[in-house]
Each structure stands twice: as structure tokens, then as C-alpha cells.
């Protein structure tokens, strides 16, 4: 008897998430407006949504089973947290023929506040993002709609609700205590995740209820994204990530010539330690080099020697290589916009893989793994060694900067492993080429008058309703510290023992150093002489060359 109706004129990430949650609980969903362009406005602008009412009215006029129960809901920013049985039970308990979701804030006409009926407990104002009722009553509800597509659906339903005669005739009530519907706007502090055995729900703390449908109305899209990382049972303590193995794009069975073509963008914007090691790891990525094109943006003259050495030895291995040198006029924003556009304009470009030079990818399968995740935008989780600083944000502050989500530390420390929808990723990111040619067609994605390029990119992506993910399913590497890197020496990496100890040790400490005492790896070529491995040959060469380069004796002070 229950049919879910929703409007979706585009196949967005949010819509696919909604359908996935509906399928998880075996809801029957009918989608309206698939063959139309959206003309109902947006949540960030003036009130709109009238197109939804028009489509709903046309749909119910064609239905004949008057005993059918219809659930009408938004879909781009909504998820189910429970199934039809619970929904219908709570609807029947409401004792009315139509039940609307409720909100603590009145919108869009505050002048109508005094006309709303008072409620003994809970929210007083109507929310149009979700309602449930019998077909006959919903037909009566929308019968008088004659508005334009960009008129306000919420204002239309509100005026019906505050009209006592119409409210009684249609038999409308509000879900004031959020037993069926949870609108997040104005209620963020009331809603928490509730982990049950093998299940995850959203719980309203104020009313101690477990809503069936969660709606990120208004400017609460990031919050519904956060909840959607868990609901419905996307991630649980018992089973971990339920969806991480779904809709993958396996590459193992492909011939090398059939691998997706990837444009790799390498960005060198500041003096950075261990650049030669970066290019060695780039070379060692387990991916056919004939299916890689490379664009290197180098703004630092200090690193020209490293770039040149890499290209002289290995340029011929790649499908194509382009280089932007320090003397070229492009700045970081221009270079990143250009790199995206190179993939956008190349119809054969399947992916764009952006890598900053301070990224240490220890996992040689990183690129393959990211492609196999089959997501529109995905980043491997990286941190600075021994710190909580990472290349993603779990939440945003009201002014659009970093805020720590409740699960951030658990994700960074890999106590929770999965693929996470987050508002910000940086340093190393994979994007689908088709995304650049369809939804991200703006050339200046990294441009902003007030935001850094990385924040501007994520801001523009979020405004398009495109999800960005970070994965910590595997360990991938870490991020270098560049704050105190000096370039006045011959071998500047020698001075990174305290700033980047892991990378310094890898380059300069002999691999058998730890065996000196454990395996008695000590030789005595003659009495009172002990011979054991401490430094690599490169470390010895660098120290000798550094001393010779200094060119004079020490003055004797401990400096």
C-alpha cells in the first residue's frame, strides 16, 4: 500500500544515495520529473519548489487506489534510516490522514508565525520536505495548486495548514516530535548517531525519538553527508564498511592497453624536501606508464635539477609529458585550472590525478586503488607522521574553514576504516574525466577572491552537489612538513632529521641499522675497531660533499 514519491530531474550523488537507502529497506519508489529540467529554484536562493507540487499533482491525478498511502519526500538530501513497517506503524499512530514533517523555525514567511496552531510539545512549524498520507487526502491537498514552478511549495502547504477549515477537511497534523521525519535545519544539536547492534540510526535527543527519514534541508547538506556515512548501516562497529566493495571498477583482468588513461598533475609550489624521492615513487606507481600523461608545474628554481633529472631518464616511458617552468607566468591557481582543462578537453582522458610534491605515497597501488573505488572524486587519506593533521576535513566551521567532526580522530587513526563523504580533500586527489566534461565545466574551479585554491576548488565542487570522498581502507603514505625547509646548503635534506624523521631515516640510515644489536651485526676488522652499518652510502657521500662544499675549517664553536 505504500508508495514513495520523489522528484529528481538529475541523477546526482545525493539522489543515488537516497535510492540506495530506499533499496536497503525495500521501499517502492516512483521518481517524478526525470524527463524535465529543474526550474524550481535552489535552497540557497529565493523560496522555490513549486515544480515539485506540480509534478505531484499530475502524478496523483492518475492514481486510482484511494487507500494507497503515499510518502512524498525530497531525495537529493535525504536518507531512510528504517523500513516501511516502522514508517506505517508510526503514521497510523499519528491518528491523522496526512502527516507533515516539522521544523523549529518558520520559513519562508515569518509573518505567519502567529497563525500556526500551538503544539503541546515539539516543533510547531510545517516542513514541506516530507509528508505521508492517503491518496484521497493528498489529492485534496494539492488540488488547488496553480502556482509557478519557482513558487514556494512550503508556503503553499503552510497556508493550507494554518487554514483551520482546510486543515480539518484534509485531516493534517505535524510530526512535531520527529517520530517519522527529522529535518536538520535548526535541530543540529538535537541529532546524534545511535549505534545499535549491527545498526545505525539518527536519534533526536530532545524528544528521544528515532526518525525514519532524515532530511538535510536548507544549508545542512554537510550534516546529512556526515550522517549518510553511517545511515542506513553504511558503516557499523560490527561489520565496518558495508558499501566499500560495492560498484567497484576492477582493473586486474584488463590488458595494459585497456587501462584508463590518466593525466597526472604534479605541483611544486614551494621548496620541499626529498623531491628526488618523490619522483622515484611516482616512477614506481604500479600502473602502465603508456596510459599515463604527466603535467609538471614547478614554480621553484631550486627544484629544476630534480625535475630535469627525472625527465631526462624517464620522460620517454610516459604517453606524454608537459612542463611548466618557474619562468612561465602561470601561478598555482592557473596551473591547476590548466591541468583540469587539459583532461577536460581531451576526450580520451578518463581520470585526472593531482599530486602535490610534499605527498609521500608509500603504497605503490594507490592510483589503481583509487580508480577501483569508482567514485567521482576520491583522495587517499594521508597524515603528517605522528600528528592528527591530514589531507581532509571532516566538517566545516560556519565561515567555511576547518572544523573537527566527531569521527575525525577515529578515521585519521584508522579505528574506523571505510570510504567517507567529506567536505574537503587536498594534496592528492583523483577526479573522473567525465565529471570535468559534464558537471565541472567551469574553467576557474580553483579561483576565489577570499579562499586558497584548494578551498576554492572544494567549495565549487560542493556547490555543484558533487560528493568528495576520502578512503582509509588501505594505508597510503604521509605528508611532509615543509615549514622550516632551508635551501642554502648543498644537500638540504640532511637537515630534515627533526622535521621529517621518517623520510630522513629512509634516505640516510642503513637498512640493517636495527640489526646491529639484535643480530650482533658487528665486525671487528682489528683490535679495538668496531665496524657496523649506520648510514647509507648516499648519506656518507652527502656528508662528505657537504663538508667539502663548506670550503673552510670550523671556527671551533658548537654551531
Amino acid at each position: 500500500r505504500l508508495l514513495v514519491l520523489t522528484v529528481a530531474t538529475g541523477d546526482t550523488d545525493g539522489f543515488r544515495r537516497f535510492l540506495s537507502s530506499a533499496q536497503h529497506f525495500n521501499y517502492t519508489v516512483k521518481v517524478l520529473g526525470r524527463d524535465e529540467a529543474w526550474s524550481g529554484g535552489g535552497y540557497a536562493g529565493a523560496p522555490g519548489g513549486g515544480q515539485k507540487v506540480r509534478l505531484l499533482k499530475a502524478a496523483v491525478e492518475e492514481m486510482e487506489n484511494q487507500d494507497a498511502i503515499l510518502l512524498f519526500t525530497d531525495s537529493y538530501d535525504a536518507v531512510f534510516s528504517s523500513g516501511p513497517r516502522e514508517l506505517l506503524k508510526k503514521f497510523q499512530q499519528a491518528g491523522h490522514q496526512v502527516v507533515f514533517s516539522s521544523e523549529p523555525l518558520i520559513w519562508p514567511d515569518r509573518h505567519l508565525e502567529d497563525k500556526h496552531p500551538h503544539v503541546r510539545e515539539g516543533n510547531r512549524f510545517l516542513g514541506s520536505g516530507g509528508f505521508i498520507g492517503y491518496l484521497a487526502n493528498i489529492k485534496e491537498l494539492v488540488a488547488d495548486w496553480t502556482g509557478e514552478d519557482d513558487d514556494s511549495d512550503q508556503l503553499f502547504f503552510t497556508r493550507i495548514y494554518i487554514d483551520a477549515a482546510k486543515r480539518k477537511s484534509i485531516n493534517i497534523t505535524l510530526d512535531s516530535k520527529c517520530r517519522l521525519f527529522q529535518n536538520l535545519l535548526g535541530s543540529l544539536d538535537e541529532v546524534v548517531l545511535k549505534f545499535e547492534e549491527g545498526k545505525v540510526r539518527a536519534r533526536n535527543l530532545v524528544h528521544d525519538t528515532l526518525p525514519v527519514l532524515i532530511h538535510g534541508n536548507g544549508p545542512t547538506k554537510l550534516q546529512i553527508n556526515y550522517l549518510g556515512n553511517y545511515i542506513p548501516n553504511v558503516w557499523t562497529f560490527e561489520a565496518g564498511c558495508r558499501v566499500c566493495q560495492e560498484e567497484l571498477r576492477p582493473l586486474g583482468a584488463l590488458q595494459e592497453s585497456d587501462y584508463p588513461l590518466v593525466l597526472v598533475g604534479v605541483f611544486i609550489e614551494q621548496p620541499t624536501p626529498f623531491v628526488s624521492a618523490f619522483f622515484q615513487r611516482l616512477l614506481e606507481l604500479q600502473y602502465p606508464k603508456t596510459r599515463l600523461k604527466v603535467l609538471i608545474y614547478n614554480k621553484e628554481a631550486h627544484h629544476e635539477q630534480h625535475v630535469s633529472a627525472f625527465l631526462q631518464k624517464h620522460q620517454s616511458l610516459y604517453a606524454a609529458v608537459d612542463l611548466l617552468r618557474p619562468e612561465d607566468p602561470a601561478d598555482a591557481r592557473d596551473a591547476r585550472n590548466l591541468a583540469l582543462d587539459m583532461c577536460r578537453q581531451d576526450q580520451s582522458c578518463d581520470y585526472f590525478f593531482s599530486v602535490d610534491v610534499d605527498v609521500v605515497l608509500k603504497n605503490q597501488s594507490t592510483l589503481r586503488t583509487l580508480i577501483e573505488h569508482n567514485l567521482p572524486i576520491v583522495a587517499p587519506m594521508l597524515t603528517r607522521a605522528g600528528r592528527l593533521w591530514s589531507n581532509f576535513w571532516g566538517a566545516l566551521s560556519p565561515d567555511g574553514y576547518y572544523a573537527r567532526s566527531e569521527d575525525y580522530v577515529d578515521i585519521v587513526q584508522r579505528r574506523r576504516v571505510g570510504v567517507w563523504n567529506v567536505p574537503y580533500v587536498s594534496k592528492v586527489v583523483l577526479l573522473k574525466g567525465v565529471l570535468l566534461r559534464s558537471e565541472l565545466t567551469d574553467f576557474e574551479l580553483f579561483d576565489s577572491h577570499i579562499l586558497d585554491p584548494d578551498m576554492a576548488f572544494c567549495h565549487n565542487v560542493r556547490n555543484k552537489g558533487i560528493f568528495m570522498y576520502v578512503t582509509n581502507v588501505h594505508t597510503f603514505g604521509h605528508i611532509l612538513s615543509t615549514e622550516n625547509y632551508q635551501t642554502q646548503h648543498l644537500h638540504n635534506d640532511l637537515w630534515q632529521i627533526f622535521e621529517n624523521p621518517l623520510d630522513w631515516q629512509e634516505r640516510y640510515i642503513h637498512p640493517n641499522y636495527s640489526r646491529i644489536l639484535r643480530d650482533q651485526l658487528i665486525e671487528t676488522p682489528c683490535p679495538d675497531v668496531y665496524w657496523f652499518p649506520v648510514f647509507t652510502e648516499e648519506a656518507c657521500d652527502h656528508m662528505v660533499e657537504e663538508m667539502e662544499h663548506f670550503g673552510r675549517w670550523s671556527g671551533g664553536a658548537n654551531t
Side-chain angles (χ1 to χ4, degrees):
R1 297 172 59 199
L2 176 66
L3 175 64
V4 178
L5 296 176
T6 190
V7 172
T9 57
D11 193 16
T12 67
D13 292 337
F15 175 66
R16 287 188 288 270
R17 175 182 61 192
F18 170 80
L19 282 186
S20 177
S21 72
Q23 291 166 2
H24 178 76
F25 293 112
N26 294 318
Y27 282 97
T28 301
V29 179
K30 181 176 182 179
V31 182
L32 311 178
R34 295 305 296 267
D35 56 347
E36 290 191 14
W38 177 252
S39 56
Y43 78 90
Q51 185 175 2
K52 294 186 292 184
V53 187
R54 173 175 61 79
L55 291 169
L56 174 61
K57 180 180 179 180
V60 298
E61 286 176 349
E62 297 178 357
M63 299 180 184
E64 298 180 355
N65 183 3
Q66 303 301 309
D67 293 328
I69 298 175
L70 305 181
L71 170 66
F72 187 72
T73 176
D74 288 354
S75 56
Y76 291 171
D77 50 7
V79 292
F80 285 104
S81 65
S82 187
R85 183 183 298 273
E86 180 179 338
L87 179 72
L88 290 173
K89 179 180 178 181
K90 290 180 175 179
F91 170 58
Q92 300 292 349
Q93 290 173 344
H96 288 72
Q97 305 289 53
V98 175
V99 179
F100 270 87
S101 66
S102 66
E103 299 182 10
L105 307 175
I106 184 170
W107 189 86
D109 189 348
R110 292 165 49 192
H111 298 93
L112 300 178
E113 178 175 355
D114 293 339
K115 297 184 179 180
H116 279 73
H118 288 277
V119 296
R120 282 187 288 181
E121 187 178 1
N123 300 327
R124 182 183 171 195
F125 306 111
L126 176 144
S128 63
F131 57 89
I132 185 172
Y134 289 97
L135 173 61
N137 302 81
I138 290 181
K139 280 185 176 181
E140 184 179 355
L141 177 71
V142 298
D144 294 335
W145 171 261
T146 58
E148 301 295 329
D149 280 1
D150 58 354
D151 287 345
S152 172
D153 61 331
Q154 181 135 323
L155 185 58
F156 171 74
F157 291 127
T158 295
R159 285 175 171 158
I160 294 175
Y161 175 68
I162 63 177
D163 185 316
K166 291 182 178 179
R167 184 170 68 249
K168 181 178 180 181
S169 173
I170 303 173
N171 198 359
I172 303 174
T173 192
L174 299 186
D175 179 33
S176 297
K177 298 175 67 174
C178 304
R179 301 181 71 245
L180 292 91
F181 306 98
Q182 177 66 65
N183 289 312
L184 295 180
L185 183 61
S187 303
L188 292 177
D189 294 338
E190 302 175 5
V191 181
V192 298
L193 289 169
K194 184 178 189 297
F195 292 92
E196 301 174 337
E197 186 174 349
K199 296 190 298 183
V200 188
R201 297 287 298 266
R203 179 188 178 194
N204 186 297
L205 294 174
V206 173
H207 307 300
D208 194 22
T209 54
L210 299 175
V212 176
L213 183 67
I214 317 301
H215 180 210
N217 56 320
T220 63
K221 309 307 176 193
L222 300 185
Q223 287 75 18
I224 190 65
N225 290 349
Y226 166 75
L227 296 174
N229 283 328
Y230 297 91
I231 301 170
N233 303 340
V234 174
W235 190 97
T236 64
F237 283 108
E238 292 79 8
C241 180
R242 181 180 61 83
V243 299
C244 288
Q245 301 303 315
E246 295 180 1
E247 299 184 15
L248 297 179
R249 180 181 183 176
L251 301 178
L254 297 180
Q255 300 292 326
E256 287 194 357
S257 59
D258 296 327
Y259 269 62
L261 182 67
V262 181
L263 173 61
V264 181
V266 175
F267 298 93
I268 308 173
E269 299 179 16
Q270 60 187 350
T272 305
F274 306 108
V275 170
S276 57
F278 170 87
F279 281 112
Q280 182 62 32
R281 284 188 291 270
L282 180 66
L283 184 68
E284 293 172 353
L285 281 178
Q286 294 180 357
Y287 202 87
K289 292 176 177 52
T290 56
R291 303 301 294 163
L292 295 178
K293 295 182 178 180
V294 180
L295 169 66
I296 300 175
Y297 167 73
N298 176 30
K299 200 60 179 176
E300 285 296 328
H302 171 71
H303 291 308
E304 284 194 277
Q305 57 178 323
H306 304 112
V307 175
S308 179
F310 172 74
L311 294 181
Q312 287 178 6
K313 292 181 180 179
H314 308 297
Q315 179 173 352
S316 61
L317 299 176
Y318 295 92
V321 175
D322 291 286
L323 174 62
L324 295 175
R325 296 178 171 85
E327 60 269 22
D328 291 325
D331 62 13
R333 296 179 192 273
D334 296 335
R336 293 179 186 273
N337 283 327
L338 175 64
L340 286 184
D341 202 52
M342 287 178 63
C343 183
R344 183 184 292 116
Q345 299 300 328
D346 182 358
Q347 295 296 319
S348 67
C349 181
D350 297 302
Y351 292 91
F352 175 67
F353 186 46
S354 175
V355 190
D356 290 1
V357 76
D358 56 347
V359 164
V360 179
L361 289 179
K362 305 287 286 185
N363 188 331
Q364 296 179 354
S365 299
T366 296
L367 179 55
R368 286 173 53 107
T369 299
L370 296 181
I371 291 175
E372 288 178 338
H373 274 311
N374 197 25
L375 296 167
I377 300 177
V378 61
M381 190 196 74
L382 305 174
T383 64
R384 284 192 178 163
R387 298 176 58 185
L388 293 176
W389 196 97
S390 75
N391 65 324
F392 80 96
W393 296 349
L396 296 182
S397 65
D399 55 358
Y401 287 83
Y402 169 83
R404 180 173 291 184
S405 62
E406 294 180 6
D407 57 0
Y408 178 80
V409 174
D410 284 342
I411 293 174
V412 167
Q413 296 181 343
R414 299 191 75 240
R415 293 196 293 263
R416 300 184 187 184
V417 173
V419 179
W420 311 95
N421 184 344
V422 295
Y424 170 90
V425 291
S426 66
K427 296 296 182 182
V428 51
V429 183
L430 181 76
L431 297 85
K432 284 187 175 182
V434 67
L435 189 68
L436 296 172
R437 291 185 285 273
S438 57
E439 299 177 66
L440 295 178
T441 57
D442 298 337
F443 178 80
E444 299 175 340
L445 287 174
F446 287 92
D447 287 9
S448 172
H449 296 297
I450 58 175
L451 299 175
D452 292 337
D454 53 346
M455 294 177 62
F457 171 77
C458 294
H459 173 79
N460 290 327
V461 168
R462 292 194 305 269
N463 284 349
K464 294 284 188 179
I466 298 169
F467 292 169
M468 296 174 284
Y469 297 88
V470 66
T471 172
N472 66 345
V473 172
H474 305 276
T475 56
F476 296 98
H478 59 273
I479 303 169
L480 294 172
S481 173
T482 61
E483 284 84 354
N484 300 312
Y485 186 61
Q486 304 295 323
T487 60
Q488 69 267 30
H489 305 287
L490 178 64
H491 297 294
N492 298 283
D493 293 350
L494 277 172
W495 274 260
Q496 290 294 300
I497 184 172
F498 299 115
E499 288 292 326
N500 294 288
L502 291 179
D503 301 89
W504 190 92
Q505 178 178 328
E506 180 180 359
R507 186 169 190 183
Y508 292 129
I509 297 298
H510 197 283
N512 289 334
Y513 172 75
S514 62
R515 297 175 55 198
I516 294 174
L517 298 178
R518 187 186 67 210
D519 299 336
Q520 295 296 308
L521 199 66
I522 302 175
E523 300 180 35
T524 54
C526 59
D528 299 326
V529 174
Y530 300 92
W531 194 2
F532 50 86
V534 177
F535 296 110
T536 62
E537 290 189 13
E538 184 177 34
C540 298
D541 291 341
H542 281 192
M543 284 189 280
V544 171
E545 292 169 6
E546 193 67 48
M547 301 307 169
E548 293 178 345
H549 178 72
F550 188 66
R552 62 183 185 273
W553 291 101
S554 168
N558 295 320
T559 58

